[in-house]
């Protein structure tokens, strides 16, 4: 994706978000007060983390449907760890959450890479397996606020320079992955492997291994989001964040990530997540029924895909012409 | 026009004399087809007669496939006539051609693996029963009859995917017969068959002839052309160069028609400056694609690989480049044993491969030019694990300017470039890895004459700089004009290694076709 295209895509989305905020503000001015916007951003932080991971997976022509189950399983594991060892420092818990999530992601990645099972099948399976493991671990019981240590619960809410730590973590992840995607060989490999797997193979890129790393990153971010989610809402249970994986995919699609792979940006994924975050926060405030919330999110997805498709159609025609010439 | 051509053989036997008098079932008259920048067919004529096999002969790129597509309604001619029984017709869609009784059996069978044999045969025209539903029993019965008619022992209820390649071919033929075809086009039908299966196919062709079908038989193999064809038509560079009765022509004459041409292309004058041996391949083998490939290559040399499509040239090159694994064989580079397990290994050892299908295997159209160019060289453009954009741009600028690539900016997506410029990006990408050995697979396929000359010029320059070049090409003038030495492959093996005076169009074709 060239710089011009990239900028226009993200500018368009930023414009859409500003427009959305304007419409909401016209009915409910308090929504765009800085304090509320900070809250909205903070609420959206886990979605941003997951959308970044999902974006990378989709780039490589895969999909990860297990992210929400990974989040819930990792959340349950760290919550139980906290119950068993209340003295364990939060940085250690975060490191464990990232590692555990990454291991779950690697499991997906190995199945896709070594056994060449279609990613949608692999992650549909692991999604169910992860939920099952939570049930086995917790025996179906909830872990509630009073069982968790204060440090465990306080960390993501701690305010630093006007923003809660959870928001800082999301911003940090965005910054980190902007660098990874644009300035490392691995980042370039994600784009190449999804953009044209054959050409990437010829260029010496191992497409399967690249996909493995994409799943690992997605898993690590899910694990991190798992800790944040459980500590913020101070609860862990089997059905935590059930169905959230589809919101994550939706955020990517709205953020301009091509569902066929090869094209997408970290900023796009973040903006897509924010768009959905604003809708889900604003609609209850302006007293619109949850049905409209779903309908608006759904329409946004279809509009985003339609815009993507029309942008790509021109290229398709050129290829067709060339194919005819070649014969 | 058609009758003129048929009159070119005055001493035709009496049974052919009947044919001349007969109207062709299907004919093309002065058909021209152009694509942007390329004239695929120029005023060609072709006549097919009931109960006769006409062989269509020509090199790769002579326009044979385009003719098949026009006869089957996939392409429409720019000018000229298609006639059925002497009446002009228009095939706007494939359906029109089928309705007129024209059916084609393609080189790669276009069938459906998950459907049954009977469903494959009758897809689109299945017998209908009550309420317009498909009458499965009648369909299976009719399929059984057709299959029995061509001597095929295939269960009509079997799934296609459980059949071998030869039986799939028979299903394709049965499908062609199920529509009550009058004209059957066979596009290299024996390419994938064993000798025994080929004999069965010949018997089938005789059977079709006896039924009065007109057959267009496209083949590269002269032995089978002389065995089963009654008439021939030769195309060269999209134009008709000759036609007549097989009985009146010799192999040598056909080969001459096929390859003899005005030397319209001028190749760069090279001072051949061949250095030390850089690559030695010994006994490369693959379970299905090729066997016994041994040769050596020197610095500054251009080694041509000629052969028919399917001779195993690209498959061997892919194994040499580490994309597939050979089952046996060794490689030495600079006189040291080299193990190549992946394309990354090959690039690290100084071998690069510019593939034939550039759309599929060459450029990444969604990435900008500079990122395409630096993709295999990211190790060199990064520092402490981070890519340096300035260095990437420098590298990309250096190699794209050497190829005089025209683009607004190196930040432009490759998908926005023309085919010729995409080709340059792909070549620049490989040159930027500073290779010792470059494999160019069909380097000028599908590009215009001007760009061709530039690619040839550039290839000569690479060799002059001491690079060893392997050029896989199916274009005889290119092979002869550029190569210092030519290896001809046939059916996965080296059929001949030619240099000096031995490199002539006739010898190349003879070795490639095995005559």
């Amino acid at each position: 994706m060239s710089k011009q295209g990239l900028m226009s895509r993200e500018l368009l989305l930023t414009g859409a978000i500003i427009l959305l905020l304007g419409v909401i503000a016209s009915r409910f001015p308090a929504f765009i007060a800085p304090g509320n916007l900070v809250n909205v951003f903070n609420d959206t932080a886990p979605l941003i983390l997951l959308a970044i991971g999902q974006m990378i997976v989709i780039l490589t022509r895969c999909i990860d449907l297990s992210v929400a189950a990974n989040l819930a399983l990792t959340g349950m594991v760290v919550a139980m760890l906290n119950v068993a060892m209340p003295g364990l420092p939060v940085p250690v818990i975060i490191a464990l959450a990232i590692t555990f999530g990454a291991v779950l992601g690697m499991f997906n990645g190995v199945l896709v890479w070594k056994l060449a099972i279609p990613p949608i099948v692999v992650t549909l399976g692991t999604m169910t397996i992860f939920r099952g493991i939570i049930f086995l671990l917790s025996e179906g019981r909830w872990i509630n606020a009073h069982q968790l240590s204060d440090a465990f619960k306080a960390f993501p809410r701690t305010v630093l320079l006007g923003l809660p730590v959870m928001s800082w973590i999301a911003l940090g992840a965005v910054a980190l992955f902007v660098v990874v995607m644009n300035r490392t060989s691995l980042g370039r490999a994600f784009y190449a492997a999804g953009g044209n797997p054959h050409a990437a193979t010829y260029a010496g890129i191992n497409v399967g291994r690249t996909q493995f790393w994409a799943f690992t990153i997605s898993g690590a971010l899910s694990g991190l989001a798992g800790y944040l989610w459980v500590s913020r809402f101070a609860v862990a249970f089997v059905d935590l964040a059930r169905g959230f994986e589809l919101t994550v995919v939706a955020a990517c699609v709205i953020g301009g990530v091509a569902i066929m792979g090869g094209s997408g940006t970290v900023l796009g994924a973040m903006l897509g997540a924010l768009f959905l975050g604003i809708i889900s926060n604003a609609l209850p405030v302006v007293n619109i029924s949850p049905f409209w919330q779903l309908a608006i999110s759904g329409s946004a997805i279809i509009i985003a895909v339609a815009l993507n498709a029309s942008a790509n159609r021109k290229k398709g025609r050129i290829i067709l012409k060339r194919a005819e010439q070649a014969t | 026009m058609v009758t003129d051509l048929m009159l070119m053989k005055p001493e035709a036997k009496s049974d052919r004399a009947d044919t001349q008098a007969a109207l062709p079932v299907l004919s093309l008259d002065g058909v021209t087809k152009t694509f942007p920048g390329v004239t695929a067919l120029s005023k060609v004529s072709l006549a097919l007669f009931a109960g006769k096999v006409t062989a269509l002969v020509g090199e790769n790129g002579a326009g044979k496939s385009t003719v098949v597509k026009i006869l089957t309604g996939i392409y429409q001619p720019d000018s000229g006539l298609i006639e059925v029984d002497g009446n002009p017709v228009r095939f706007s869609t494939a359906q029109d051609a089928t309705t007129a009784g024209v059916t084609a059996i393609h080189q790669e069978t276009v069938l459906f693996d998950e459907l049954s044999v009977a469903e494959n045969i009758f897809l689109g025209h299945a017998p209908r029963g009550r309420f317009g539903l498909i009458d499965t029993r009648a369909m299976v019965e009719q399929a059984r009859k057709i299959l029995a008619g061509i001597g095929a022992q295939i269960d009509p209820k079997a799934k296609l995917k459980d059949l071998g390649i030869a039986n799939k071919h028979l299903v394709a033929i049965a499908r062609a017969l199920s529509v009550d075809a009058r004209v059957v086009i066979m596009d290299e039908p024996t390419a994938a068959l064993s000798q025994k299966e080929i004999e069965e196919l010949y018997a089938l062709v005789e059977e079709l002839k006896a039924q009065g079908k007109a057959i267009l038989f496209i083949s590269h193999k002269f032995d089978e052309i002389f065995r089963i064809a009654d008439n021939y038509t030769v195309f060269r560079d999209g134009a008709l160069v000759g036609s007549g009765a097989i009985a009146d022509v010799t192999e040598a004459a056909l080969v001459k028609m096929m390859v003899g041409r005005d030397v319209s292309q001028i190749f760069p004058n090279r001072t051949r400056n061949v250095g030390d041996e850089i690559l030695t391949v010994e006994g490369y083998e693959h379970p299905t694609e090729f066997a016994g490939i041994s040769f050596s290559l020197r610095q500054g040399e251009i080694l041509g690989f000629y052969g028919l499509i399917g001779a195993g040239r690209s498959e061997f090159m892919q194994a040499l480049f580490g994309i597939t694994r050979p089952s046996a064989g060794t490689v030495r580079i600079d006189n040291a044993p080299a193990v190549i397990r992946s394309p990354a290994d090959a690039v690290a050892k100084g071998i690069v491969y510019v593939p034939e299908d550039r759309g599929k295997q060459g450029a990444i159209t969604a990435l900008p030019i500079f990122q395409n160019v630096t993709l295999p060289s990211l190790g060199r453009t990064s520092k402490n694990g981070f890519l340096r954009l300035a260095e990437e741009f420098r590298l990309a600028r250096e190699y794209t300017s050497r190829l005089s690539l025209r683009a607004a900016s190196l930040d432009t997506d490759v998908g926005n470039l023309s085919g010729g410029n995409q080709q340059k990006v792909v070549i620049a990408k490989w040159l930027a890895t500073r290779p010792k050995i470059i494999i160019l697979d069909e380097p000028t396929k599908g590009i215009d004459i001007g760009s061709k000359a530039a690619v040839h010029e550039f290839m000569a320059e690479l060799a002059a700089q001491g690079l060893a070049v392997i050029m896989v090409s199916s274009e005889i003038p290119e092979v002869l004009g550029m190569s210092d030495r030519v290896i001809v492959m046939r059916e996965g093996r080296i059929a001949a290694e030619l240099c000096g005076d031995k490199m002539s169009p006739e010898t190349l074709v003879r070795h490639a076709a095995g005559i």
Side-chain angles (χ1 to χ4, degrees), chain B residues 331-333 335-339 349:
Chain B
V331 179
R332 294 170 70 82
I333 294 171
N335 272 320
V339 180
K349 296 263 181 349

Side-chain angles (χ1 to χ4, degrees), chain B residues 295-460:
Chain B
F295 67 95
S296 65
L297 178 68
R298 291 170 178 276
Q299 286 174 341
E301 187 180 33
I302 298 181
L303 174 61
F305 267 76
Y306 179 75
L308 301 177
I309 287 172
R313 292 170 297 163
S314 298
E315 290 76 7
F316 164 69
M317 296 304 161
Q318 287 173 3
L320 184 60
F321 189 62
I323 288 174
T324 53
R325 295 273 185 91
S327 53
T330 56
V331 179
R332 294 170 70 82
I333 294 171
D334 277 339
N335 272 320
V339 180
I340 299 169
R341 288 211 178 83
S342 67
D345 284 352
V347 172
K349 296 263 181 349
I351 303 182
V352 300
Y353 182 22
V354 183
E356 177 185 357
D357 186 347
R358 285 170 294 278
K360 200 166 149 204
Q361 299 166 336
I364 297 171
T365 50
L367 288 183
I369 294 171
F370 81 95
Q371 293 188 6
N372 266 282
V373 172
T374 57
L375 196 59
S377 314
L378 290 181
R380 274 196 294 133
T381 61
S382 52
K383 196 176 187 181
N384 305 325
F386 289 102
L387 301 172
R388 291 175 298 171
L389 292 189
E391 179 63 18
E392 286 193 62
F393 271 102
R394 195 196 60 70
L395 196 71
R397 197 172 299 118
E398 181 183 336
Y399 286 93
T400 50
S401 65
R402 276 174 62 180
L403 295 170
S404 48
L405 173 96
R406 250 167 266 145
S409 142
L410 292 175
D411 219 9
T412 310
D413 284 357
V414 171
N416 296 333
L417 300 179
S418 69
N421 278 332
Q422 290 194 4
Q423 168 84 326
K424 288 178 181 173
V425 171
V426 174
I427 293 176
K429 165 168 83 174
W430 293 119
L431 292 181
T433 65
R434 298 186 202 141
K436 296 177 198 160
I437 300 160
I438 185 162
I439 304 169
L440 300 165
D441 200 342
E442 302 286 1
T444 61
K445 188 175 177 181
I447 64 177
D448 60 82
I449 297 280
S451 303
K452 268 187 186 180
V455 170
H456 291 147
E457 196 71 48
F458 183 69
M459 212 187 295

Side-chain angles (χ1 to χ4, degrees), chain A residues 53-96:
Chain A
Q54 189 72 256
M55 187 276 293
I56 297 172
V57 172
I58 293 176
L59 264 190
T60 67
R61 298 196 175 180
C62 296
I63 194 154
D64 188 350
L65 295 180
S66 71
V67 287
N70 181 333
L71 176 155
L73 175 53
T74 308
M76 176 59 78
V77 167
V78 293
M80 292 175 74
L81 209 61
N82 181 251
V83 172
M85 290 185 281
L88 209 59
V90 170
V92 173
I93 287 178
I94 290 178
L96 284 174

Side-chain angles (χ1 to χ4, degrees), chain B residues 122 127-129 134-145:
Chain B
F122 285 103
R128 302 286 171 148
I134 289 174
D135 184 346
T136 313
R137 192 178 300 166
M139 184 171 77
V140 169
E141 241 358 89
Q142 291 179 26
R144 201 186 302 281
K145 233 176 267 169

Side-chain angles (χ1 to χ4, degrees), chain A residues 39-163:
Chain A
N39 283 340
V40 171
F41 186 85
N42 200 48
D43 262 355
T44 314
L47 182 57
I48 291 173
L49 291 177
L50 297 185
I52 293 170
Q54 189 72 256
M55 187 276 293
I56 297 172
V57 172
I58 293 176
L59 264 190
T60 67
R61 298 196 175 180
C62 296
I63 194 154
D64 188 350
L65 295 180
S66 71
V67 287
N70 181 333
L71 176 155
L73 175 53
T74 308
M76 176 59 78
V77 167
V78 293
M80 292 175 74
L81 209 61
N82 181 251
V83 172
M85 290 185 281
L88 209 59
V90 170
V92 173
I93 287 178
I94 290 178
L96 284 174
I98 293 174
T99 312
F100 187 79
V103 170
L104 297 183
M106 284 176 175
F107 183 65
N108 286 328
V110 164
L111 291 177
V112 169
W113 177 18
K114 291 298 182 188
L115 301 184
I117 308 174
I120 192 164
V121 178
V122 167
T123 56
L124 204 56
T126 52
M127 170 173 101
T128 317
I129 293 171
F130 295 166
R131 294 277 179 198
I133 295 173
I134 307 174
F135 190 85
L136 290 177
L137 287 177
S138 65
E139 294 168 332
R141 282 194 285 272
W142 291 39
I143 292 181
N144 290 312
H146 65 274
Q147 294 165 276
L148 297 167
S149 76
D150 287 340
F152 185 93
K153 286 179 286 188
F155 182 75
R157 301 150 196 263
T158 314
V159 174
L160 268 179
L161 302 171
L163 273 184

